[in-house]
Amino acid sequence: MGLTSGAGHSRRAFLSASAGITGAVVLTGAAGAADLRPTGGGALPPGDPISPQEPDARLRALLARVDERRIEDVVRELVSFGTRHTLSSQDDPQRGIGAARDWLFAEMQACAARSGGRMTVELQSYDQEPANRIPVTTRITNVVATIRGTTDPDRVHVISGHYDSRATDVMDAVSDAPGADDDASGVAVVLELARLLAEEPIESTVVLAAVAAEEQGLYGANHMAERFAADGVDVRAMFTDDIVGASRADDGTSDPRTIRLFAEGVPTSETPEEAQIRRSVGGENDSPSRQLSRFVTDVAANTATGMDVRVIYRRDRFLRGGDHIPFLEKGYPAARFTEPNEDFRHQHQDVREEDGVRYGDLPEFCDFGYIARVAKVNLAAIWSLAQGPGAPTGVVVRTANLTNDTELVWERGPEPDLAGYEVVWRETTDSDWTHRIDVGDVTTAVIDLSKDNVFFGVRAIDADGHRSPVTFPRPLRD
């Protein structure tokens, strides 16, 4: 779509959208405004159907390097520590959570050594006072690798897995608790991404974390989220990979090409004022986490990953929780990856055999090819977020006057390779965005569709064609 600009006055350029309408683009001022009200009475809907974002050449090359064998080695190494219970030994070099922590730190440091200084690794520790499931003061340590962005380092994206494990009794810190699926599988995903991304310059910052004390009450993730919030870190996305190691259900059925992604609707951190706005505009299905989940299906459910992403419209599984929740509580967009069917004989179980049935979270019940494909989904998502532009900020719908068109306004992003913006829309009964309208490098667009009848959003595009997650607008009375 071509745009023409003028100095000191508006200039009009006519266009024809592929859906068959005739419209106009009007630019005003330095940033400009796109006016897409039809001038010829053509058929609606305006805009082009949305197509998935295909992986770029660098991403395809990275996806091809995901190594199933290395992933299996990580899972088996973590299992070899016997138990990784949060209350187990911190200083035994061979058994317990301390041995696992030290091994993970060394693996992350080995990745960082190949990064040319872009990746740093820290042991993020604190002393947890006695609390629920923590009977005595306990040192809790997250192993955190940060890959600093080259051009937009203040925009941050996080992926985590938890390296602690448990037996049937959540307070049993002595018995074997192999934790192969829950959650050595998620930590293996994190380490594989660290290995692959360490040598790749990326535009915005990626944090890869193995966190502790998930089983005792999300303590490690909560500490990490608190640290980010206290430091004012702009976390644009957080994913936890928890129980991503098996594709077979307890009834024997297999679904090796699907990963669930849990994404909340009404934000956990919503204020009363925000709730009032949401009720008045109908934004129950348009939280930042829902936009994040739509982005993942857009960039990561394809032949390059070999996976389908099944978005579940819940914060987590029924009455359960995970390490993304502390991030949601701080107002950060976050979601959880989990295998399609959990086999509870192999989760939170003492290792044993009863009536010929083998119990316990053992490597023999993992599908390492499946974990490798889950790693590809994570890689496609985090790469596309980090290499693409950030979701637009300050997006509003002007509502000072009653009209049957929709005027959207947003702030221009800081990315040096920013090319422009798209307005996206969908029917209120659709679960995902269906149409896009290229409005160019402007900060205002007027669309000839009523805000009463459809939902709108805005996303950014860079010079390489990467698109950002969508931002859902709030109302503004001028």
Side-chain angles (χ1 to χ4, degrees):
M1 178 181 297
L3 300 179
T4 57
S5 61
H9 63 282
S10 298
R11 298 176 59 189
R12 187 174 296 263
F14 291 94
L15 67 144
S16 177
S18 63
I21 74 158
T22 302
V25 175
V26 178
L27 296 188
T28 57
D35 188 335
L36 293 169
R37 289 171 290 197
T39 59
L44 293 176
D48 300 317
I50 287 179
S51 300
Q53 298 187 52
E54 293 298 323
D56 60 28
R58 286 176 66 194
L59 175 55
R60 285 188 179 275
L62 285 170
L63 292 170
R65 292 175 54 202
V66 171
D67 191 331
E68 177 183 336
R69 180 185 58 80
R70 288 177 181 270
I71 286 170
E72 179 176 356
D73 288 346
V74 170
V75 171
R76 293 189 181 278
E77 185 68 27
L78 288 170
V79 169
S80 75
F81 296 113
T83 178
R84 306 186 304 278
H85 194 281
T86 299
L87 304 177
S88 64
S89 174
Q90 300 245 359
D91 52 18
D92 187 315
Q94 295 183 327
R95 182 179 177 87
I97 195 165
R101 173 202 64 215
D102 294 345
W103 181 80
L104 287 167
F105 184 59
E107 290 294 301
M108 288 288 201
Q109 284 185 311
C111 294
R114 304 191 305 272
S115 71
R118 288 184 300 275
M119 178 189 285
T120 57
V121 185
E122 66 170 315
L123 292 176
Q124 186 186 82
S125 300
Y126 79 105
D127 291 326
Q128 175 60 51
E129 297 297 323
N132 184 45
R133 295 185 176 182
I134 304 288
V136 297
T137 300
T138 301
R139 190 76 165 168
I140 292 174
T141 302
N142 302 323
V143 184
V144 182
T146 301
I147 308 171
R148 185 172 173 81
T150 57
T151 60
D152 192 7
D154 291 337
R155 184 161 50 95
V156 176
H157 312 91
V158 182
I159 293 183
S160 79
H162 72 86
Y163 71 99
D164 60 305
S165 64
R166 60 167 287 186
T168 301
D169 180 356
V170 72
M171 301 305 293
D172 180 357
V174 178
S175 300
D176 283 348
D181 191 3
D182 185 14
D183 184 35
S185 64
V187 175
V189 168
V190 168
L191 273 181
E192 185 66 357
L193 266 59
R195 181 182 73 86
L196 293 169
L197 293 176
E199 300 178 49
E200 290 286 332
I202 49 180
E203 294 181 10
S204 58
T205 296
V206 170
V207 175
L208 302 169
V211 302
E214 189 272 349
E215 301 290 5
Q216 304 310 109
L218 315 181
Y219 288 100
N222 186 68
H223 179 68
M224 183 165 59
E226 286 183 343
R227 285 270 299 267
F228 282 134
D231 293 341
V233 177
D234 184 15
V235 177
R236 295 295 186 96
M238 185 274 180
F239 301 103
T240 184
D241 283 85
D242 193 354
I243 314 176
V244 295
S247 59
R248 188 174 297 276
D250 53 6
D251 64 359
T253 58
S254 181
D255 191 0
R257 299 284 174 176
T258 300
I259 184 70
R260 289 186 291 175
L261 181 60
F262 289 85
E264 71 174 11
V266 176
T268 294
S269 62
E270 184 179 68
T271 66
E273 293 76 15
E274 290 167 338
Q276 183 177 3
I277 293 172
R278 171 180 52 78
R279 288 190 292 267
S280 68
V281 303
E284 293 80 6
N285 197 21
D286 282 284
S287 67
S289 296
R290 288 281 164 88
Q291 308 306 341
L292 189 59
S293 71
R294 291 175 179 130
F295 181 84
V296 172
T297 62
D298 193 33
V299 302
N302 51 46
T303 57
T305 65
M307 292 290 277
D308 178 47
V309 178
R310 181 186 178 190
V311 178
I312 308 293
Y313 284 172
R314 273 200 178 106
R315 187 172 74 169
D316 207 310
R317 299 144 305 154
F318 203 78
L319 295 179
R320 298 165 74 190
D323 283 328
H324 58 307
I325 292 177
F327 283 79
L328 293 171
E329 290 171 342
K330 298 300 182 185
Y332 294 130
R336 174 191 179 125
F337 286 113
T338 296
E339 64 199 33
N341 299 287
E342 296 174 70
D343 188 336
F344 298 108
R345 297 170 300 183
H346 308 143
Q347 185 183 134
H348 298 182
Q349 293 284 348
D350 293 338
V351 178
R352 67 192 190 279
E353 187 169 327
E354 294 179 359
D355 300 323
V357 177
R358 184 76 163 155
Y359 290 84
D361 191 355
L362 297 160
E364 64 196 71
F365 302 118
C366 287
D367 179 343
F368 298 106
Y370 178 79
I371 303 174
R373 289 190 294 277
V374 173
K376 290 183 178 183
V377 169
N378 278 262
L379 180 56
I382 206 72
W383 176 267
S384 301
L385 286 165
Q387 287 296 98
T393 58
V395 183
V396 297
V397 175
R398 282 188 171 149
T399 59
N401 299 312
L402 290 175
T403 65
N404 282 317
D405 54 26
T406 302
E407 183 177 5
L408 293 148
V409 181
W410 57 92
E411 298 168 357
R412 192 179 190 280
E415 297 84 1
D417 60 347
L418 182 66
Y421 294 89
E422 291 178 338
V423 172
V424 298
W425 67 269
R426 71 179 196 275
E427 295 286 349
T428 61
T429 51
D430 287 329
S431 62
D432 205 347
W433 305 107
T434 58
H435 289 77
R436 64 180 181 87
I437 304 169
D438 184 354
V439 296
D441 191 1
V442 297
T443 56
T444 301
V446 180
I447 312 294
D448 187 52
L449 277 175
S450 173
K451 51 193 164 291
D452 296 333
N453 298 335
V454 302
F455 289 131
F456 287 99
V458 180
R459 65 182 182 182
I461 315 169
D462 70 13
D464 294 321
H466 299 124
R467 289 171 169 81
S468 75
V470 170
T471 299
F472 188 70
R474 61 179 179 83
L476 173 68
R477 291 187 181 276
D478 294 312

